Amino acid sequence: MHSYLNDLNDAQRAAVIEKEGPSLVIAGAGSGKTRVLTYRIAHLMASGVAPWNILALTFTNKAAREMKERIGRLVGEDLAASLWMGTFHAIFSKILRTESEKLGFPSAFTIYDTTDSKSLIKSIIKELKLDDKVYKPSGVLSRISNAKNNLFTAAAYKGNSTFIADDNASKRPEIAKIYEVYSARCRQSGAMDFDDLLLYTNVLFRDFPEILDKYQQKFKYVLVDEYQDTNFSQYLIVKKLSQQHHNICVVGDDAQSIYSFRGAKIENILNFKTDYPRHHLFKLEQNYRSTQTIVNAANSLIKKNERQIPKEVYSKNDEGELVQLIDAFTDNEEGYLVINSIFDQMNNHQLHYDDFAILYRTNAQSRIFEEALRKRNMPYKIYGGLSFYQRKEVKDLIAYFRMVVNPDDSEALKRVINYPARGIGDTTLNKLEEAAAYNNISIWQVAKSPERFGVEVNKGTLNKINGFCEFIERFIAIKKEQDGYVMAQQIATESGIMKDLYNGTTVEERSKYENVEELLNGIRDFVSTNYQEDNPVRLEHFLENVALYTDQDSNKPDDKNRITLMTIHSAKGLEFPHVYIVGMEEDLFPSSMNSFSQHEMEEERRLFYVALTRAEKRVTLSYAKSRYKYGTATNTSPSRFISEIDSQFIKTKALFGRKGFDDDFNDEEATVSFKQRGSAFQKPARPGMNLAAQRKLQQMNHSQQPVFNSDPPENIKSGMNIEHQQFGTGRVIQIEGEGSDKKALIFFNKLGEKKLILKFARLRIVR
């Protein structure tokens, strides 16, 4: 037996050594999923499988990089370097660049990020003279993205009666036209967006069977990480690639499927046994991360879900503390009580700031906790904010790089043709853009010969356009002669960006200059790290790496000693000794946006399961009796998920301030048995406040909540304008079902489409 197999427990070892045929590895939270996937790949190579015959797909570059490094330590870095391991988008963009000619794209095609796509869609909406309040770019992009993830091209979308009917009902009948123009413009610009990387891979394999056969022969072993997070497009690619050899191994946990809003299909992992009847099933059930109590609490919760693959996760760690509960009168009080609890834990147990994480359902919840932390002068970091590569000054310089690599990239051109300012205004740019649209070509083609395409500009402006084009063409001519760092440095200097930012006098302007310097440092590191004497690292290689940088890669804590604040979605894959899950209230968690069907509720429960299992030693839940929503104090009730945790694993830890929670943090703890409190979670008297004062506070909160009178569900009809207490106004698109199961598909003006069960929805007819 290979010595490295001794590092595994029996269940892990069984999953690693099974090489042939389909395998499903169900990996409970903290059970060593990454280790199993890493060792299985290493074992394949140690058994004689060539690394280039192995395809390993992940969801983050960080995961791929770390696994590759571990494999290198097990079987040698040279072997590991030849693995086809990376994110879905990275691997398939590599294939698409190789086969791009078949699809009519340049091999150096640009990859548009969300900002680029929204900018292009915004331009198309304006060009088509549509109302951007109805056709919101983000909503239109989401609709197009969903279509692509379900493999509907623009032409297929246009021919689908269901899509067209839905768009007509939501008063957005031109989405099909926008999608059509958007796809054409991307092709004219030699660009694909993230969804295209998967869509066009499916198109490639569908339309060119010889190409599919080539990669089926190449990839004799296919392995997929986080299989529960795959969408339909990813699922189909993986299934096609493994059709010949049937050596597919997927690793994941159905209990941690939380990305349906991105198109993830939990059915992919639940139905694996149907897709591959002769599969091997392995269950990793020992949790090495959390205490026994945390694991048991999480198990008792997730058992409430019907759709799942049965498993019994257990821990051999210490029994640990019960799950704690903080209840507060208001959302502001919740913030201070949570921070006070962290402060006490640190002082009483000699802990560090980075031992703590505050997890919430929505980004908007962070403000209250930030204010409380600042008052305490406690350092913190919010994760999931603006990525370095999304900063304006960084995107500006990268746009220049994109122009040099692919001058037909119209979104890059629009961004930099007048930055730094060179006297080419919006009027001139609009003329170039209109001529490009009329002639079905890129803006660059028009900019090189404005007169040829009837663009009328004065001589001075023409000279400025020519000057910009000559600048770009000069670097295009030498891009293959120099490495990426030298090119980047020259472009940054000669474009005038460095000078423009260096001359800034404010702290913000100086910070922008430093960000550009950091970008150049990053390029230098990338070039030196990937340098090979016979294969120089060019600017396009760096651009491809940056384009495939994901938000999950950026959402990772650094080594600085700070309290972590982040959404639960961002926390997946991370772990912390002490976790505070805040805002545990009905309509907040579970979200009111996802509480109207069993499947949506089960995903919310899985999200809570993920939050619980981030903790190693201690979990604290908190909720408020009153929370401001839309500027109004609204009475709230505790989340149903709290009562779904078996009572033997949870207790109440209520913190109340004697001098007022916003004056200081000298609070008194009152621990009350969870069982004694009952399902209503009635709060004991708050120290320092008499009963009459408490009643007055509750009456004040209640009086601020406006009365909302709903109409009987049977009165709601298709085509009606309605109002929802939280979602606002909208229009009923259609009514489905009969009796108590009747549902309404509604287009809300602020939120888009939502399907609600009428008996629970409480709708008011707007007359």
Side-chain angles (χ1 to χ4, degrees):
M1 184 173 72
H2 296 282
S3 60
Y4 56 77
L5 295 177
N6 295 326
D7 299 338
L8 308 170
N9 64 32
D10 291 343
Q12 292 171 338
R13 190 180 303 111
V16 165
I17 63 177
E18 183 60 64
K19 297 186 299 181
E20 305 300 321
S23 292
L24 171 61
V25 181
I26 298 298
S31 62
K33 167 184 70 69
T34 303
R35 167 169 287 208
V36 165
L37 194 57
T38 300
Y39 276 59
R40 184 173 175 119
I41 294 169
H43 188 63
L44 285 172
M45 290 192 287
S47 302
V49 178
W52 47 86
N53 292 142
I54 299 173
L55 172 64
L57 298 166
T58 68
F59 274 86
T60 69
N61 297 298
K62 176 177 177 284
R65 183 171 60 252
E66 290 179 351
M67 281 196 283
K68 212 167 193 178
E69 289 171 355
R70 291 189 193 183
I71 293 167
R73 290 194 290 270
L74 290 171
V75 298
E77 292 182 3
D78 290 342
L79 273 178
S82 299
L83 273 170
W84 276 65
M85 172 177 277
T87 65
F88 281 87
H89 294 91
I91 293 295
F92 298 130
S93 70
K94 185 176 180 179
I95 290 175
L96 287 172
R97 290 190 191 281
T98 302
E99 314 294 347
S100 59
E101 189 177 321
K102 296 280 194 305
L103 297 170
F105 279 87
S107 61
F109 60 79
T110 299
I111 300 174
Y112 278 175
D113 63 13
T114 302
T115 304
D116 297 318
S117 295
K118 283 183 181 178
S119 174
L120 176 53
I121 286 174
K122 186 176 181 180
S123 296
I124 294 169
I125 290 169
K126 181 180 179 182
E127 178 186 321
L128 296 177
K129 296 180 172 56
L130 300 173
D131 185 348
D132 60 5
K133 292 182 176 60
V134 176
Y135 293 90
K136 295 179 179 179
S138 58
V140 173
L141 179 59
S142 177
R143 184 76 168 162
I144 293 173
S145 175
N146 182 62
K148 288 183 178 181
N149 286 332
N150 286 285
L151 303 184
F152 283 90
T153 62
Y157 187 101
K158 189 176 181 180
N160 185 281
S161 59
T162 302
F163 285 145
I164 301 305
D166 288 347
D167 291 342
N168 287 334
S170 64
K171 295 186 176 180
R172 297 183 298 174
E174 298 301 320
I175 285 184
K177 180 63 176 178
I178 297 172
Y179 186 5
E180 182 180 34
V181 176
Y182 174 76
S183 294
R185 295 287 164 80
C186 285
R187 188 173 286 276
Q188 289 162 16
S189 295
M192 295 187 192
D193 62 25
F194 254 57
D195 297 317
D196 284 331
L197 297 177
L198 303 178
L199 174 65
Y200 281 118
T201 300
N202 273 292
V203 171
L204 180 72
F205 290 163
R206 180 197 67 191
D207 295 348
F208 301 94
E210 71 280 7
I211 300 295
L212 173 60
D213 181 69
K214 179 174 79 171
Y215 289 102
Q216 285 175 334
Q217 294 289 347
K218 178 178 180 63
F219 300 131
K220 297 179 180 177
Y221 294 85
V222 178
L223 302 98
V224 185
D225 190 18
E226 304 286 11
Y227 191 63
Q228 77 280 350
D229 294 335
T230 54
N231 61 29
F232 178 66
S233 186
Q234 292 163 326
Y235 159 83
L236 198 58
I237 294 171
V238 168
K239 191 173 183 183
K240 285 181 178 179
L241 286 174
S242 58
Q243 273 178 342
Q244 285 199 17
H245 299 287
H246 303 290
N247 295 324
I248 177 173
C249 173
V250 302
V251 182
D253 182 8
D254 55 291
Q256 297 186 65
S257 178
I258 60 173
Y259 293 122
S260 66
F261 66 95
R262 293 180 180 171
K265 302 283 188 185
I266 190 175
E267 293 81 7
N268 293 347
I269 194 167
L270 295 178
N271 296 337
F272 187 88
K273 60 184 180 182
T274 304
D275 290 336
Y276 305 94
R278 301 173 66 87
H279 72 286
H280 305 282
L281 174 63
F282 304 96
K283 294 182 181 180
L284 309 181
E285 296 173 305
Q286 183 175 354
N287 181 306
Y288 290 91
R289 174 189 302 151
S290 307
T291 64
Q292 294 180 35
T293 298
I294 292 172
V295 170
N296 291 336
N299 284 346
S300 69
L301 169 88
I302 203 64
K303 282 182 178 177
K304 306 295 189 298
N305 275 7
E306 291 184 9
R307 296 198 308 165
Q308 59 178 293
I309 298 172
K311 60 181 177 297
E312 191 62 42
V313 180
Y314 65 93
S315 172
K316 292 183 178 180
N317 295 335
D318 293 339
E319 183 177 348
E321 298 182 57
L322 296 178
V323 174
Q324 309 294 309
L325 185 64
I326 293 176
D327 53 358
F329 277 101
T330 67
D331 47 359
N332 279 319
E333 185 182 45
E334 179 193 25
Y336 287 104
L337 294 180
V338 165
I339 303 312
N340 184 62
S341 174
I342 293 175
F343 186 82
D344 288 346
Q345 286 292 312
M346 288 184 63
N347 287 340
N348 294 338
H349 302 287
Q350 291 76 53
L351 301 173
H352 302 286
Y353 291 118
D354 58 6
D355 288 327
F356 296 89
I358 299 174
L359 307 183
Y360 34 77
R361 181 64 179 83
T362 65
N363 278 307
Q365 292 171 254
S366 70
R367 180 190 61 82
I368 288 169
F369 299 97
E370 287 186 78
E371 289 177 358
L373 285 163
R374 283 198 295 267
K375 184 167 185 177
R376 272 289 192 181
N377 198 26
M378 296 166 73
Y380 67 92
K381 171 68 175 177
I382 295 180
Y383 295 91
L386 188 66
S387 162
F388 175 80
Y389 292 105
Q390 291 299 317
R391 299 180 190 276
K392 179 186 181 302
E393 60 277 12
V394 173
K395 285 185 71 69
D396 288 339
L397 184 51
I398 286 178
Y400 269 105
F401 300 162
R402 284 164 48 177
M403 283 294 297
V404 171
V405 172
N406 173 22
D408 286 320
D409 184 344
S410 293
E411 290 306 305
L413 181 145
K414 289 192 291 184
R415 190 175 189 97
V416 298
I417 193 170
N418 197 41
Y419 179 74
R422 52 175 58 90
I424 304 174
D426 289 343
T427 301
T428 300
L429 180 56
N430 287 339
K431 289 180 180 180
L432 297 174
E433 198 170 358
E434 288 171 5
Y438 181 79
N439 291 281
N440 294 319
I441 57 176
S442 68
I443 301 176
W444 170 256
Q445 299 297 326
V446 177
K448 287 197 300 180
S449 305
E451 311 97 318
R452 178 184 168 193
F453 296 99
V455 177
E456 296 182 0
V457 292
N458 60 47
K459 187 174 181 181
T461 301
L462 182 60
N463 289 336
K464 292 166 185 174
I465 295 173
N466 290 338
F468 171 75
C469 292
E470 288 169 2
F471 173 81
I472 298 297
E473 287 178 325
R474 180 159 56 86
F475 282 99
I476 291 174
I478 62 172
K479 69 179 180 181
K480 292 185 178 179
E481 299 173 7
Q482 297 176 334
D483 69 42
Y485 173 64
V486 173
M487 281 285 290
Q489 200 173 39
Q490 287 182 344
I491 293 170
T493 302
E494 296 182 31
S495 66
I497 286 182
M498 297 297 284
K499 181 180 179 181
D500 183 68
L501 296 176
Y502 185 77
N503 289 335
T505 57
T506 67
V507 174
E508 182 182 8
E509 288 169 332
R510 187 65 189 173
S511 175
K512 290 180 178 180
Y513 180 82
E514 291 169 353
N515 285 336
V516 169
E517 282 192 320
E518 183 59 30
L519 172 62
L520 294 174
N521 289 337
I523 297 174
R524 179 176 58 191
D525 292 344
F526 178 81
V527 170
S528 61
T529 301
N530 294 279
Y531 175 78
Q532 295 178 13
E533 190 171 345
D534 58 341
N535 190 20
V537 183
R538 306 296 186 198
L539 198 56
E540 55 262 37
H541 300 139
F542 173 77
L543 284 179
E544 182 174 1
N545 182 69
V546 169
L548 296 167
Y549 190 82
T550 69
D551 58 348
Q552 293 107 313
D553 291 309
S554 62
N555 288 344
K556 55 183 186 297
D558 54 27
D559 295 327
K560 292 185 179 179
N561 188 20
R562 294 181 286 186
I563 295 169
T564 297
L565 276 69
M566 66 198 319
T567 65
I568 302 169
H569 282 101
S570 298
K572 186 169 178 289
L574 303 178
E575 56 190 40
F576 306 90
H578 295 256
V579 169
Y580 287 74
I581 308 170
V582 299
M584 292 296 303
E585 299 146 27
E586 286 293 301
D587 293 337
L588 182 55
F589 195 15
S591 168
S592 60
M593 299 289 289
N594 289 319
S595 57
F596 297 101
S597 76
Q598 179 183 334
H599 290 177
E600 289 175 328
M601 184 57 68
E602 288 199 353
E603 175 146 341
E604 288 288 298
R605 190 175 288 111
R606 292 194 295 269
L607 187 61
F608 184 39
Y609 176 85
V610 167
L612 287 170
T613 55
R614 297 312 93 202
E616 298 170 355
K617 299 180 181 299
R618 193 172 190 262
V619 172
T620 303
L621 312 178
S622 71
Y623 71 92
K625 291 286 186 70
S626 173
R627 183 174 299 274
Y628 269 88
K629 297 180 180 179
Y630 309 110
T632 302
T634 304
N635 291 335
T636 62
S637 58
S639 169
R640 71 191 73 184
F641 294 153
I642 299 176
S643 62
E644 288 182 354
I645 296 175
D646 194 309
S647 60
Q648 65 180 303
F649 305 123
I650 187 171
K651 72 175 182 179
T652 303
K653 190 176 183 64
L655 307 179
F656 304 101
R658 287 185 176 276
K659 300 179 183 178
F661 63 85
D662 54 354
D663 292 328
D664 71 2
F665 286 84
N666 295 319
D667 300 315
E668 182 176 288
E669 296 185 2
T671 302
V672 184
S673 166
F674 183 85
K675 287 184 177 179
Q676 292 174 345
R677 294 172 64 85
S679 61
F681 299 98
Q682 294 300 314
K683 182 194 288 280
R686 173 179 175 181
M689 180 180 283
N690 61 36
L691 184 60
Q694 291 184 60
R695 286 175 176 169
K696 183 177 181 181
L697 175 64
Q698 291 172 348
Q699 288 170 358
M700 288 172 61
N701 288 337
H702 183 72
S703 67
Q704 294 181 46
Q705 186 173 4
V707 176
F708 186 89
N709 296 318
S710 61
D711 286 295
E714 59 270 19
N715 291 356
I716 307 298
K717 307 296 181 184
S718 179
M720 282 184 171
N721 293 320
I722 54 85
E723 183 179 5
H724 186 277
Q725 188 171 12
Q726 291 170 316
F727 301 160
T729 57
R731 186 176 181 84
V732 179
I733 297 174
Q734 64 184 53
I735 303 293
E736 300 175 359
E738 297 293 337
S740 62
D741 293 329
K742 190 179 291 186
K743 299 177 183 178
L745 179 64
I746 303 170
F747 178 79
F748 288 102
N749 298 328
K750 292 182 178 180
L751 302 172
E753 291 179 9
K754 196 69 187 171
K755 186 176 288 186
L756 309 181
I757 297 176
L758 278 175
K759 66 180 179 182
F760 298 132
R762 299 190 71 244
L763 302 174
R764 179 163 64 198
I765 299 170
V766 178
R767 294 179 173 86

